[in-house]
Amino acid sequence: KVVDFPVVPTNPFFPNHNKNVTRGLMIGLALSLIVVILFEIFDITIKNEDDLNYASDYPILAQIPDLNNSKKRKTYRNRYQSRYYSDENNNHQSAENDNKIGKNVNFVASEAYKLLRTKLQYSFTDDQNCHVIAISSAMAGEGKSISCINLAYNLAQMDKKVLVIDCDMRLPTIAKKLSLPNYPGLSEHLTGFMGMDELIQTYCDGEDQKPVYVLTAGHTPPNPVELIGSEKMQRAIATLREKFDFVLLDMPPIGDVSDALVVSGLADGILVIVRQNLDTRVAVREAIHQFEFVNARILGFVFNCVGGKEMLYKKKYRYRYGYRRDYRRTYADAAVLNETVSAENQK
């Protein structure tokens, strides 16, 4: 008897592609999830305020948006390797820097620097007429010089006499960013070649803007730490306290050289610049530890080049209430009114 007739199979019995695809998909998703979790656990870069608060207990005085609108690596390359490029590229870089200084910064950055200025004024409770503030960071490329210049610009708008000193004699950048001659400068004074009054330059971002006084770094000496830590430097700072309301010291990164530690004893407070997605919690902790070791007073952090969700609320807030449009319209109406009144008075 025929129990059952044979049936020719239409699909192969082995391998089962459907099962293999399903298993491979599940294993791939599991491995991807594990890799993402491991990257998140071992990634110690500072991405937001919580990461910075986790690294230290010092307050965040301001969040500065990214003025470059470009990726981190490209910005770092342009800023720290342009000195080796041709003159045409250097001129192009100077033009880019002009858009990030003074009145040329965007609305959000301008308000952030004004907030930083206000908080700094409330950080000092003594009766000193002049405050010396050192600006440093844990790593290179975090925007110390740009922050120093813009802070000086906003302080000067309050009728304060502000001096910016480029204390980074190894890689000076203040003169290039402001299109000022770098020689002679601070090193020429500390070596005894020239007096302080001959070296101070004036930078003004427009006829209607208040001037900012600048002391460039000068020629690079073979021993910058010895010059910065000399008694003549102390006497120079004491003399400048009598002439200015604020003295801002643009220092090199503490993680690379020890110049900032030497000058920290001459400053009334230190601002630590931390750049988003570049600095690490380990580097920030080490920088704070070194400043605390020399009993320096840390005023707080400036969270620089902030973008993404951190600045989304601020942009929505600005556009929702029309700050830029309303302010410009108000100022324009006021200018027209003043011109009309002046014309009528002349008649």
Side-chain angles (χ1 to χ4, degrees), residues 52-66:
L52 188 52
N53 291 329
Y54 182 75
S56 177
D57 295 332
Y58 290 98
I60 301 175
L61 300 181
Q63 294 187 25
I64 311 299
D66 190 359

Side-chain angles (χ1 to χ4, degrees), residues 176-243:
K176 181 186 296 185
K177 296 182 185 305
L178 299 180
S179 300
L180 298 175
N182 191 40
Y183 318 107
L186 179 62
S187 60
E188 279 70 27
H189 173 71
L190 296 180
T191 51
F193 290 104
M194 301 183 67
M196 183 67 71
D197 296 335
E198 307 175 57
L199 303 174
I200 296 178
Q201 306 179 55
T202 303
Y203 172 79
C204 188
D205 190 20
E207 297 181 356
D208 57 337
Q209 305 298 320
K210 304 296 182 180
V212 175
Y213 299 91
V214 181
L215 178 57
T216 57
H219 289 85
T220 302
N223 54 346
V225 179
E226 286 75 7
L227 288 181
I228 290 294
S230 62
E231 295 183 1
K232 193 166 186 178
M233 182 66 178
Q234 299 179 9
R235 294 195 298 268
I237 295 297
T239 302
L240 295 174
R241 284 181 180 272
E242 301 175 357
K243 301 179 179 180

Side-chain angles (χ1 to χ4, degrees), residues 96-168:
E96 289 182 354
N97 288 331
D98 292 341
N99 296 326
K100 300 181 292 185
I101 293 175
K103 63 180 182 181
N104 294 321
V105 300
N106 57 53
F107 178 84
V108 179
S110 177
E111 292 301 315
Y113 283 116
K114 290 178 182 178
L115 176 63
L116 176 61
R117 175 189 66 186
T118 303
K119 289 187 177 181
L120 283 179
Q121 291 178 328
Y122 285 96
S123 299
F124 302 101
T125 57
D126 51 13
D127 296 331
Q128 290 184 358
N129 295 327
C130 177
H131 297 291
V132 179
I133 302 174
I135 300 176
S136 183
S137 64
M139 302 170 59
E142 301 194 41
K144 300 181 302 300
S145 300
I146 291 293
S147 299
C148 181
I149 294 172
N150 284 317
L151 176 59
Y153 169 82
N154 282 274
L155 288 171
Q157 301 315 305
M158 298 182 63
D159 293 330
K160 301 293 184 180
K161 197 174 181 182
V162 185
L163 173 66
V164 175
I165 303 179
D166 192 350
C167 296
D168 191 354

